[in-house]
Amino acid sequence: MSMLLNSDFYELTQNFQGALFQGGMAVLEKGAPPASNNTLLQLRRGYAESPAWFLVQAQEFDPEPLSVERIRVRAVWSSERIVAAILDLMASEKWLDRVGEDYHLTDEGRAVIQELTERRHTILAPLITTLTPDEVEPLEKLMRRGLDASSEHSKPPGTWSLAHSRRRTPADAAPTVHKLFQYCADFNAYRDDSHMAAFQPLSIDAFAWEAFSHIWRGAANTAQKIFDALPYRGYSHTEFAIGIRTIAERGWIKTEDGDSYQMADEGQKIRADVERLTDEYFFDAWSCFSESEIEGLHQRMSSLKAKLEGMGK
């Protein structure tokens, strides 16, 4: 595997998407169109546990309905309670129609999705003429090849999240910039597939794994601090405390006072193995690329990201 194929490359794809958005906003002559003032769209803005993100999921599943179970195939970090609460709020706004345990996208919901899509396209519009074909077209071809190969890959991790994300792929005639933006979202979806395939065989609840990850990163080392960092997931302080104890019982973390925890050697090994597997699963299909093509993809994306970040300065 190429030395470039690691988590930093994946992070580049996500930072590149952000640079596309910020670059478009920087060069808009009349300024960025205002975000919707709909109260429900403002709720938990920027979080996966939000009506705005669930609308994206509704678009990916349509005409299939959403359900708590279907959303949590990918949103494993979110509690059933918080997912159900948000879906019911969206139904109360008539964006979804609840039938039993299923939530069907309504015309009102589609109108909100269209409004959000048009705002994004307005922000990206200046880049269609600002960026040259030589800057975007070769990059689009390489990114699409990687996604096509991942979609057809028969080995782990599976493609549940990627397959649904690719339902939002722009039409062939769409501007290349629109395709680049969506491809970054597709990479994010496949990274979720890859990480879930790497850690779920350990038979650890996702919220406990996320708590463990915070201890591993040094971001938080007590149940209270983890709860303070992750209240939006819908789990309680008590649930996080139980999750941490479960991890400690496996010998992955250790404590001297029963409250604060540190990584144990076994935990470091487990986490390193999962990170390695995540990268392997994510990049395995990239065997379709030669070494020079991988370097070219990295260089083109890095250069264009730098150009976008410099716009408006």
Side-chain angles (χ1 to χ4, degrees), residues 34 51 82 107 147 150-151 189 219 229 252 271:
I82 202 71
D107 288 342
L147 288 167
S150 298
S151 296
W252 298 356
R271 187 66 207 210

Side-chain angles (χ1 to χ4, degrees), residues 186-228:
D186 295 339
F187 282 129
N188 174 251
Y190 195 53
R191 189 71 176 187
D192 285 347
D193 286 326
S194 300
H195 190 59
M196 288 188 292
F199 90 82
Q200 285 178 331
L202 297 170
S203 299
I204 286 291
D205 288 331
F207 78 90
W209 179 261
E210 188 168 26
F212 174 56
S213 297
H214 270 60
I215 297 170
W216 172 66
R217 295 190 183 96
N221 66 346
T222 68
Q224 183 62 53
K225 289 178 181 178
I226 290 169
F227 172 71
D228 290 342

Side-chain angles (χ1 to χ4, degrees), residues 24-291:
M25 291 184 67
V27 297
L28 270 173
E29 293 182 359
K30 298 180 180 179
S36 173
N37 60 5
N38 183 288
T39 303
L40 196 52
L41 281 178
Q42 295 174 16
L43 179 66
R44 297 174 171 265
R45 186 190 297 274
Y47 289 106
E49 296 80 6
S50 68
W53 177 243
F54 281 16
L55 277 177
V56 172
Q57 300 304 293
Q59 184 183 14
E60 291 181 355
F61 276 86
D62 194 35
E64 303 167 46
L66 291 179
S67 69
V68 173
E69 181 181 6
R70 291 188 187 97
I71 284 185
R72 293 188 75 251
V73 172
R74 179 177 179 185
V76 293
W77 321 106
S78 311
S79 74
E80 293 184 8
R81 295 184 301 272
I82 202 71
V83 172
I86 293 171
L87 288 173
D88 282 337
L89 277 174
M90 294 170 70
S92 74
E93 197 75 7
K94 297 192 294 185
W95 296 351
L96 301 172
D97 179 28
R98 179 173 179 175
V99 181
E101 299 302 314
D102 291 336
Y103 295 78
H104 298 261
L105 187 61
T106 64
D107 288 342
E108 289 91 338
R110 291 187 181 90
V112 177
I113 290 171
Q114 184 61 31
E115 176 187 340
L116 295 172
T117 301
E118 289 175 356
R119 179 176 185 269
R120 182 174 68 251
H121 287 175
T122 297
I123 291 171
L124 295 176
L127 301 180
I128 297 172
T129 53
T130 302
L131 303 179
T132 68
D134 286 345
E135 289 175 311
V136 297
E137 291 179 0
L139 179 58
E140 186 272 333
K141 289 184 174 66
L142 288 168
M143 292 175 72
R144 177 160 39 89
R145 274 183 59 196
L147 288 167
D148 286 345
S150 298
S151 296
E152 297 165 2
H153 200 49
S154 59
K155 300 178 182 178
T159 59
W160 170 275
S161 305
L162 176 59
H164 284 88
S165 182
R166 297 205 84 192
R167 291 184 177 184
R168 294 189 288 132
T169 299
D172 290 343
T176 303
V177 168
H178 292 181
K179 297 176 186 178
L180 295 179
F181 192 89
Q182 177 57 37
Y183 292 171
C184 294
D186 295 339
F187 282 129
N188 174 251
Y190 195 53
R191 189 71 176 187
D192 285 347
D193 286 326
S194 300
H195 190 59
M196 288 188 292
F199 90 82
Q200 285 178 331
L202 297 170
S203 299
I204 286 291
D205 288 331
F207 78 90
W209 179 261
E210 188 168 26
F212 174 56
S213 297
H214 270 60
I215 297 170
W216 172 66
R217 295 190 183 96
N221 66 346
T222 68
Q224 183 62 53
K225 289 178 181 178
I226 290 169
F227 172 71
D228 290 342
L230 300 170
Y232 52 88
R233 297 299 197 196
Y235 292 102
S236 67
H237 168 273
T238 299
E239 287 170 313
F240 279 122
I242 293 171
I244 293 173
R245 285 200 295 272
T246 300
I247 298 293
E249 288 168 1
R250 293 200 175 198
W252 298 356
I253 55 177
K254 55 189 177 181
T255 180
E256 295 182 357
D257 58 11
D259 181 44
S260 59
Y261 291 82
Q262 300 81 40
M263 292 294 293
D265 290 343
E266 180 64 14
Q268 293 285 7
K269 178 182 180 299
I270 290 292
R271 187 66 207 210
D273 287 345
V274 167
E275 291 302 302
R276 175 185 54 78
L277 266 180
T278 300
D279 283 345
E280 286 184 9
Y281 289 157
F282 184 79
F283 290 112
D284 194 35
W286 286 31
S287 59
C288 65
F289 293 126
S290 66
E291 181 69 26

